[in-house]
Amino acid sequence: MTKIFQNNIGLVLILLSFHFSFAQKKEENIGTEVVNVVKPYTPTISDAFKVKEIPSLEDADNSKKEGVKYNFFSFPVASTFVPSKGRAANVDKSPAEKLYKNFANLGLGNYTTLNAELFVTENISDHEYVGGMFRHLSSQGGIKGVPLKNDFYTTSVDLTYGNQLQNLTWISDFGYQNQIYNWYGIPENFTQTTIDRINPKHTFNNFYIGTNLSLTDSFFKDASFKYNRFWDDNNSVENRFFMKPSFEISLFNQKIKTNFIVDYLGGNFENNFSGTNSIQYGFTNFGVHPSVVIDKNGLDLNIGAAVFYSADIKNNSSKIFVYPQVNASLKLVGDFMIFYSGVEGSLDQNSYRDFSNENPFVSPTLAIAPTDKQFDLFAGLKGKLSNQISYTLRGSIQNEKNKPLFVSNQFNMFATNSESYQFGNSFDVVYDDIKTMNFFGELKADYSKNVSLGLNASYSRFFTTNQEEAWNLPTLKLGASMNVNITKKWFAGANIFYVGERKDLVYIQSMITIFPPAYYPETTMIKGYFDANLNIGYNHSDRLTGFLKFNNIANQSYQKWINYPVQGLQVLLGASYKFDF
């Protein structure tokens, strides 16, 4: 019923629409009409609802997701790839320098200077060899203002035999040395008559034989033996025998090393300085020096002691000496700064030969005795400023008893039977107890294989007990050296040193007592001296090298010992030749 009614209403509306459409076509003006609204329009707002941040899910299957596991299935795959072998890149290498077993050296210079050297060696089996050395240095003098002869000669010959086995190394050598000097350092106020009475020439001779043994894989490590016979042309004779075996054992994982020392010295001088009687001396020193080395966490510690028994054979007396032997080093900043310190002492046996090597103008009338070096307390720093520059700083305090000092001998120009060394032109040795404070610094630089430089300085202050001064000991020493390879062929080197002022005694004639003349000692200052030396060389080949040396470039006639001026500018031209048989 309802559907029928609705269909009828729809039909009526359609018909009305058609009717109005036709009506409009006939009449364009439909006129005006008033419409009265009986009820006003009242709008309404529907209820708002909030959208949830997390929507609710109506899915029935809302279970927890399972983790995904991945598995790899591997199987071998055949490959025909073969990698090529690597090769090191080619590096340009300089040819190795050929080493020759033998060399000869010859140089000639002003003052009629001759310098000659020859060294040869030859293998006589797979583990044996023999060698020989010849050396000669001489000058005919010519020092200005010196009225006496001032030439000198030094000639030596050395022969060596060596045998190196699997666990044993054995080297034996013996040789002879001849030295000729002149006591030319006389005071200025000598008359020609007095000068004519002086024959300043004197000669030293030395013969020695020695052996060194070294063993491996044994508690007996090494040993050295040496015998010297030293004599002069004034009937002075000295014999010395020295032996030093060393042993090493391990105890509680530490190495303990022990040195044994036997040192015998005996000799005589025909006359004392006054010529009244002879001088005889003899000492036998026995020593033992155990030590243990501890190396832990950058600290190197050497702890030991030295005990000596010294017998004065001629005076029938003996003494026992005990010395500390402790030194340590600690790396503060790796190899760039290492602190080191220690205290050491020793019994040093003096000899006529040692004194003559240091001062060839000593008289054959010396008092010979050992030096009791009670302690040498030192501390310092060493290390590197860079990979090319290293340094050393050291400060020390030494206490020595019977330290030898060179001092001028007095003279008497009116003596009728004077020896050639009794004219104020020779040196004696006096002993004193001396404390020494020393500061030392050294700097070395190796900028490359072609340039090296070295600087050093030493300052000492001496405190004597009986002597007025520490005779002939300088307070200041300075030194510098440099070596340069200019090209592959040319090279050069230089060294400069300065020795400060020293003090010595001179004997002055009294103006009060004229006859017979009287003399009194007076302290005099010896000026410091500066010396510079230069050498230039040219490598003609790997065998032949030429050289030119300049000594005392400043041409100073300084005095190393009082009244003993040295030669001026010295020039030496020569060559060296290397060869094999």
Side-chain angles (χ1 to χ4, degrees):
M1 186 69 180
T2 302
K3 291 181 178 181
I4 297 173
F5 179 75
Q6 292 177 348
N7 294 330
N8 293 331
I9 292 176
L11 182 60
V12 173
L13 292 174
I14 294 171
L15 291 175
L16 287 175
S17 62
F18 276 104
H19 173 73
F20 284 115
S21 63
F22 285 110
Q24 288 177 354
K25 290 180 181 180
K26 294 178 179 182
E27 297 181 6
E28 294 295 333
N29 187 6
I30 61 174
T32 62
E33 187 174 347
V34 178
V35 178
N36 295 322
V37 178
V38 178
K39 184 179 180 180
Y41 174 70
T42 305
T44 60
I45 300 174
S46 64
D47 295 335
F49 61 92
K50 183 179 181 182
V51 180
K52 296 182 180 180
E53 293 182 359
I54 302 176
S56 59
L57 300 178
E58 296 179 355
D59 295 341
D61 188 7
N62 192 20
S63 60
K64 183 178 181 181
K65 294 183 179 181
E66 295 292 335
V68 180
K69 297 182 179 180
Y70 299 94
N71 294 321
F72 295 94
F73 178 71
S74 60
F75 56 92
V77 177
S79 176
T80 59
F81 172 74
V82 178
S84 60
K85 294 182 180 180
R87 294 187 305 170
N90 294 327
V91 178
D92 295 333
K93 296 186 296 183
S94 58
E97 182 180 358
K98 180 175 176 55
L99 300 178
Y100 296 93
K101 296 181 180 180
N102 316 300
F103 77 87
N105 180 52
L106 180 64
L108 299 173
N110 61 337
Y111 297 100
T112 321
T113 300
L114 173 63
N115 183 17
E117 294 181 338
L118 175 64
F119 175 79
V120 294
T121 182
E122 184 65 25
N123 295 327
I124 57 178
S125 70
D126 293 339
H127 53 83
E128 293 178 288
Y129 69 92
V130 292
M133 170 74 79
F134 170 80
R135 293 178 178 177
H136 175 83
L137 177 62
S138 64
S139 175
Q140 298 303 314
I143 302 175
K144 293 182 179 180
V146 176
L148 294 175
K149 294 180 61 177
N150 49 83
D151 57 307
F152 68 88
Y153 295 81
T154 299
T155 304
S156 62
V157 178
D158 302 272
L159 300 176
T160 302
Y161 166 78
N163 193 337
Q164 186 171 6
L165 302 176
Q166 182 175 2
N167 298 321
L168 172 65
T169 300
W170 169 28
I171 300 176
S172 295
D173 55 352
F174 65 93
Y176 169 77
Q177 184 183 53
N178 174 253
Q179 296 173 294
I180 300 175
Y181 293 95
N182 286 275
W183 287 301
Y184 64 86
I186 58 176
E188 296 179 353
N189 57 348
F190 277 10
T191 63
Q192 188 61 44
T193 302
T194 303
I195 294 174
D196 294 338
R197 292 166 50 196
I198 304 174
N199 178 18
K201 181 180 177 180
H202 62 286
T203 304
F204 300 121
N205 301 278
N206 182 68
F207 169 79
Y208 77 91
I209 183 170
T211 298
N212 288 277
L213 299 173
S214 298
L215 284 83
T216 59
D217 300 330
S218 174
F219 72 96
F220 178 72
K221 301 303 295 181
D222 55 67
S224 60
F225 309 87
K226 191 169 186 179
Y227 168 74
N228 273 285
R229 180 174 176 83
F230 184 74
W231 70 97
D232 63 16
D233 57 349
N234 288 276
N235 298 321
S236 305
V237 178
E238 181 179 81
N239 296 285
R240 187 172 187 179
F241 174 78
F242 182 84
M243 179 175 63
K244 183 181 177 181
S246 299
F247 301 86
E248 185 177 281
I249 61 173
S250 296
L251 185 64
F252 302 112
N253 296 326
Q254 300 294 338
K255 291 184 178 180
I256 300 176
K257 186 176 181 179
T258 304
N259 297 328
F260 293 92
I261 299 171
V262 179
D263 189 355
Y264 166 79
L265 178 72
N268 66 275
F269 298 104
E270 187 176 41
N271 296 299
N272 58 11
F273 190 77
S274 301
T276 56
N277 59 331
S278 62
I279 300 175
Q280 296 183 352
Y281 56 93
F283 296 90
T284 303
N285 301 323
F286 299 93
V288 57
H289 174 203
S291 63
V292 58
V293 178
I294 300 174
D295 184 2
K296 187 175 183 181
N297 298 327
L299 174 63
D300 293 332
L301 184 62
N302 190 323
I303 303 175
V307 180
F308 281 89
Y309 171 81
S310 180
D312 186 345
I313 301 173
K314 300 301 179 181
N315 296 317
N316 295 323
S317 63
S318 60
K319 293 182 180 180
I320 295 178
F321 302 90
V322 180
Y323 303 103
Q325 294 284 342
V326 180
N327 57 75
S329 64
L330 176 64
K331 293 184 177 181
L332 300 179
V333 188
D335 292 333
F336 291 92
M337 182 178 292
I338 301 174
F339 172 79
Y340 66 96
S341 179
V343 55
E344 298 177 349
S346 62
L347 183 66
D348 298 336
Q349 180 61 65
N350 301 303
S351 68
Y352 181 30
R353 180 173 182 267
D354 294 337
F355 288 145
S356 66
N357 285 336
E358 185 175 357
N359 183 353
F361 309 112
V362 293
S363 62
T365 60
L366 307 179
I368 306 297
T371 297
D372 177 14
K373 192 173 183 178
Q374 293 184 325
F375 65 83
D376 179 7
L377 179 62
F378 62 89
L381 293 173
K382 61 182 179 180
K384 297 181 178 180
L385 297 178
S386 66
N387 291 331
Q388 293 81 23
I389 304 175
S390 62
Y391 67 93
T392 300
L393 300 174
R394 175 188 171 108
S396 66
I397 299 176
Q398 299 179 9
N399 191 30
E400 298 172 283
K401 287 189 174 183
N402 274 358
K403 181 179 177 64
L405 302 171
F406 294 107
V407 63
S408 294
N409 279 319
Q410 59 183 337
F411 67 91
N412 184 356
M413 67 177 61
F414 294 101
T416 57
N417 296 319
S418 298
E419 298 289 344
S420 296
Y421 52 81
Q422 291 181 324
F423 291 85
N425 56 343
S426 64
F427 293 84
D428 192 11
V429 172
V430 295
Y431 295 86
D432 197 10
D433 299 341
I434 298 179
K435 292 182 179 179
T436 306
M437 294 181 59
N438 176 263
F439 298 95
F440 174 79
E442 186 178 36
L443 192 67
K444 292 183 178 180
D446 293 323
Y447 293 106
S448 65
K449 294 181 179 180
N450 297 323
V451 180
S452 63
L453 176 69
L455 302 171
N456 64 81
S458 176
Y459 173 80
S460 300
R461 187 174 180 183
F462 307 99
F463 302 90
T464 60
T465 302
N466 300 315
Q467 299 293 322
E468 295 181 6
E469 300 289 345
W471 309 117
N472 283 292
L473 292 181
T475 300
L476 181 64
K477 291 182 179 181
L478 302 174
S481 63
M482 182 176 65
N483 293 289
V484 180
N485 291 327
I486 303 172
T487 64
K488 292 182 179 181
K489 294 289 187 178
W490 289 93
F491 63 91
N495 67 82
I496 302 171
F497 62 89
Y498 172 80
V499 177
E501 297 177 341
R502 292 93 62 218
K503 293 182 179 181
D504 201 346
L505 286 175
V506 294
Y507 288 84
I508 307 298
Q509 183 176 356
S510 174
M511 301 302 296
I512 299 175
T513 305
I514 300 177
F515 189 85
Y519 300 87
Y520 62 93
E522 182 179 83
T523 300
T524 185
M525 181 72 71
I526 309 173
K527 294 182 180 180
Y529 61 89
F530 164 85
D531 201 341
N533 307 309
L534 174 67
N535 68 85
I536 301 173
Y538 176 76
N539 294 316
H540 177 73
S541 65
D542 59 345
R543 292 176 178 266
L544 181 62
T545 300
F547 61 84
L548 181 62
K549 296 182 179 181
F550 301 90
N551 295 332
N552 195 5
I553 296 176
N555 196 28
Q556 294 184 347
S557 184
Y558 62 82
Q559 296 182 11
K560 184 176 180 180
W561 307 100
I562 192 168
N563 295 326
Y564 276 90
V566 300
Q567 294 174 341
L569 174 64
Q570 303 152 42
V571 181
L572 186 71
L573 176 65
S576 298
Y577 184 74
K578 303 174 185 177
F579 61 96
D580 286 333
F581 289 119

